[in-house]
């Protein structure tokens, strides 16, 4: 009983932590629920690119995903459509111009040196560009407190930068970003550490300007040109209506299930109802903690997983009733019911999880959302059915015999027949009589 109390308090702590998570963490909603922008990009051929290959599209998809993630646009879905198109869904960004800016802005960093041409000094490229960059970071100048952009080159860029600064001691090296001069510091000595800094000239950078530059530099350039050929927005009104209907459907479904369990399985059914509520709290908290982006399909997977959690309880209670009919004590019947039902529960849940894995790997974004929420729900449901329900059953009914069979939806004569059968077998065994 001591172990049961320890487990009980552990469950209580888990529920408290889940409630805190639900209250503190925001819910991430997908494009179909919160609204946002949907863009279709088409890869473009150039003088040097005559044919779009699958590898090029994979590189473009990776670059777009990398760009929007580094720009802080979370939960963006980027998926292939046909041979040379990408569909980009950006939740919670309804301004199409802003959405296009996330995808379309370039990050052309170029280091140039002064050269006299046609009796005038011009800046020409040194061959050191943003492709030689490893990372960019935002910081402040220790002398004047202005915002600056710190650059760190990769191994090839470090070597190039060292060779250039050796040759250009006493000269200016200009830093151009997207074709505009940012600063032109004088090289005082060779720089071999692979680091440089963009100061923004005498006036310096505003924070927003420097932050945007850092984000774009870290996002990198697109491997092949891409053109936006289709753009539209999804209004939040449709999403709000879908959420309201999903909540209503979930409440009605959960209510009917709980009524059925209480009416048919009586006391164990009530315990299962409590476990079901706790399961829903834990699962929703887990979705927020991961976090999982909830789409309409994902909510459907969530609701379906609740039904599957009830299936596990039904198997357990039916097995427990069989054990009671066979004459087992209540404590033994509960343990045997759980043990005998576990294999069936495990097998059925594993087949569901395998199906979810296949759907997640091969499906579109909508299907993947459904598969993910359902798989997580099934895993949590096994913990709920095997641990929470069993623990509560033992705490509620103790270790004695079943004095009131109606509490388990059984008739007294059903229990009696079980005991009589056991006693008869014992008597026959005593005298060596075999059935």
């Amino acid at each position: 009983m001591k172990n049961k109390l320890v487990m009980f308090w552990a469950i209580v702590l888990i529920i408290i932590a889940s409630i805190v998570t639900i209250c503190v963490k925001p819910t991430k909603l997908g494009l179909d629920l919160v609204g946002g922008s949907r863009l279709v990009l088409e890869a473009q051929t150039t003088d040097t690119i005559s044919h779009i290959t699958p590898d090029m599209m994979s590189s473009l998809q990776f670059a777009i995903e990398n760009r929007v993630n580094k720009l802080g646009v979370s939960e963006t879905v980027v998926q292939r459509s046909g041979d040379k198109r990408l569909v980009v869904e950006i939740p919670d960004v309804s301004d199409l111009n802003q959405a296009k800016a996330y995808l379309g802005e370039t990050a052309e960093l170029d280091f140039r040196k002064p050269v006299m041409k046609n009796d005038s000094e011009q800046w020409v490229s040194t061959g050191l560009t943003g492709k030689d960059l490893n990372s960019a970071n935002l910081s402040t100048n220790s002398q004047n407190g202005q915002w600056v952009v710190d650059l760190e080159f990769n191994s090839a860029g470090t070597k190039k930068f060292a060779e250039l600064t050796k040759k250009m001691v006493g000269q200016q090296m200009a830093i151009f970003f997207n074709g505009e001069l940012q600063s032109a510091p004088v090289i005082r000595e060779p720089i071999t550490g692979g680091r440089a800094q963009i100061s923004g000239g005498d006036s310096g950078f505003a924070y927003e300007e420097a932050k945007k530059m850092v984000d774009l530099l870290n996002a990198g350039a697109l491997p092949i040109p891409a053109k936006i050929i289709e753009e539209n927005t999804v209004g939040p009104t449709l999403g709000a209506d879908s959420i309201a209907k999903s909540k209503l459907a979930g409440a009605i479904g959960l209510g009917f299930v709980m009524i059925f369990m209480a009416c048919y399985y009586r006391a164990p059914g009530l315990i299962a109802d409590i476990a079901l509520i706790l399961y829903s709290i834990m699962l929703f908290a887990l979705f927020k903690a991961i976090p999982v982006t909830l789409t309409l399909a994902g909510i459907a997977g969530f609701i379906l997983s609740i039904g599957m959690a009830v299936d596990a309880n039904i198997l357990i209670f039916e097995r427990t009733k069989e054990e009671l009919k066979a004459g087992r004590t209540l404590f033994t019947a509960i343990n045997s019911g759980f043990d005998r039902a576990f294999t069936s529960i495990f097998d059925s849940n594993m087949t569901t999880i395998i199906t979810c894995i296949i759907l997640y790997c091969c499906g579109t974004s909508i299907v993947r959302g459904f598969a993910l929420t359902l798989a997580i729900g099934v895993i949590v449901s096994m913990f709920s059915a095997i641990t929470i329900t069993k623990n509560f059953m033992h705490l509620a009914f103790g270790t004695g015999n079943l004095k009131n069979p109606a509490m388990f939806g059984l008739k007294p004569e059903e229990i009696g027949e079980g005991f009589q059968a056991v006693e008869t077998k014992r008597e026959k065994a005593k005298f060596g009589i075999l059935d």
Side-chain angles (χ1 to χ4, degrees):
M1 182 58 70
K2 183 178 179 181
N3 291 335
K4 299 299 178 183
L5 288 174
V6 171
M7 179 59 69
F8 171 78
W9 287 113
I11 293 171
V12 170
L13 291 176
I14 292 174
I15 296 303
I16 293 173
S18 299
I19 293 173
V20 171
T21 302
I22 291 173
C23 295
V24 173
K25 295 280 287 185
T27 304
K28 291 189 176 294
L29 301 176
L31 181 70
D32 57 344
L33 297 179
V34 76
S37 302
R38 183 179 183 274
L39 306 173
V40 179
L41 279 70
E42 185 174 76
Q44 304 294 305
T45 57
T46 63
D47 294 337
T48 57
I49 303 175
S50 59
H51 179 66
I52 305 298
T53 66
D55 288 341
M56 290 179 180
M57 289 302 298
S58 296
S59 298
L60 179 62
Q61 181 178 3
F62 177 80
I64 292 291
E65 288 176 339
N66 187 54
R67 169 167 290 191
V68 294
N69 287 334
K70 286 189 175 180
L71 289 174
V73 186
S74 60
E75 312 308 333
T76 297
V77 175
V78 182
Q79 59 184 2
R80 299 270 291 273
S81 177
D83 296 332
K84 56 179 183 178
R85 292 184 179 181
L86 290 178
V87 178
V88 183
E89 296 179 345
I90 309 177
D92 213 18
V93 177
S94 57
D95 186 347
L96 285 173
N97 291 327
Q98 182 184 357
K100 288 187 288 186
Y102 283 131
L103 305 182
E105 288 193 63
T106 58
E108 297 177 1
L109 182 69
D110 189 20
F111 291 79
R112 303 181 188 183
K113 61 183 179 180
V115 175
M116 293 299 297
K117 285 187 177 182
N118 300 326
D119 297 328
S120 63
E121 189 176 70
Q122 298 180 13
W123 297 107
V124 296
S125 178
T126 61
L128 185 67
T129 67
K131 293 182 180 179
D132 299 304
L133 194 66
N134 186 39
S135 65
N137 297 286
L138 186 65
S139 66
T140 55
N141 189 307
S142 59
Q143 296 179 352
N144 55 26
Q146 293 179 339
W147 291 104
V148 294
V149 177
D150 293 324
L151 306 177
E152 181 180 343
F153 296 100
N154 55 30
S155 56
T158 299
K159 185 178 180 180
K160 288 182 185 179
F161 192 56
E163 292 175 353
L164 285 170
T165 55
K166 287 178 183 178
K167 297 176 182 178
M168 296 178 64
V169 173
Q171 302 180 45
Q172 285 181 298
M173 178 183 283
I175 303 174
F176 281 77
F177 182 75
N178 286 347
E180 295 184 4
L181 177 65
Q182 302 298 326
S183 59
V186 176
I187 305 300
R188 303 296 182 188
E189 59 184 9
I191 303 173
T192 58
R195 296 178 182 274
Q197 189 178 85
I198 307 176
S199 62
D202 295 334
S203 59
F205 289 123
Y207 171 79
E208 293 77 11
E209 185 181 7
K211 179 67 167 61
K212 183 178 180 181
M213 186 182 296
V214 168
D215 290 339
L216 287 173
L217 286 171
N218 286 328
L222 299 180
I224 54 176
K227 180 182 179 182
I228 297 175
I229 62 172
E230 182 182 331
E231 55 187 61
N232 54 67
T233 58
V234 176
T237 303
L238 177 62
D241 183 59
S242 298
I243 293 174
K245 290 182 178 178
S246 298
K247 288 180 178 178
L248 179 61
I252 293 173
L254 183 62
F256 275 114
V257 167
M258 292 178 68
I259 291 172
F260 167 78
M261 293 297 291
C263 293
Y264 190 81
Y265 290 104
R266 310 295 172 84
L270 289 174
I271 292 175
D273 289 344
I274 296 172
L276 201 58
I277 294 172
L278 300 183
Y279 159 78
S280 301
I281 293 173
M282 289 189 299
L283 185 57
F284 190 45
L286 190 59
F287 286 163
K288 285 196 170 192
I290 291 178
V292 173
T293 302
L294 286 177
T295 61
L296 197 58
I299 293 176
F302 177 27
I303 295 173
L304 180 59
S305 69
I306 294 176
M308 298 192 70
V310 174
D311 286 343
N313 285 315
I314 289 175
L315 286 172
I316 292 168
F317 294 158
E318 288 296 336
R319 291 290 191 182
T320 301
K321 287 168 69 175
E322 290 176 4
E323 295 298 312
L324 289 171
K325 290 179 180 179
R328 304 288 188 271
T329 64
L330 186 53
F331 181 81
T332 304
I334 292 173
N335 282 337
S336 298
F338 275 85
D339 293 341
R340 291 182 61 191
F342 177 78
T343 303
S344 300
I345 295 170
F346 181 81
D347 290 346
S348 64
N349 286 342
M350 281 306 300
T351 55
T352 302
I353 291 172
I354 291 171
T355 303
C356 289
I357 293 173
I358 295 172
L359 289 175
Y360 188 86
C361 293
C362 303
T364 61
S365 60
I366 295 176
V367 175
R368 292 177 70 183
F370 170 81
L372 180 62
T373 54
L374 180 57
I376 295 174
V378 167
I379 294 171
V380 177
S381 73
M382 289 186 65
F383 170 79
S384 172
I386 303 301
T387 304
I388 297 179
T389 306
K390 185 177 182 180
N391 184 267
F392 284 8
M393 289 272 284
H394 278 311
L395 289 176
F397 299 117
T399 60
N401 291 321
L402 181 60
K403 298 179 180 179
N404 188 359
M407 293 178 63
F408 274 72
L410 295 171
K411 298 178 181 179
E413 56 268 22
E414 291 179 304
I415 299 295
E417 290 174 1
F419 279 119
Q420 290 174 8
V422 171
E423 292 302 321
T424 302
K425 287 182 180 180
R426 287 177 180 171
E427 290 296 320
K428 289 183 176 180
K430 185 185 297 184
F431 293 101
I433 302 173
L434 299 177
D435 288 334

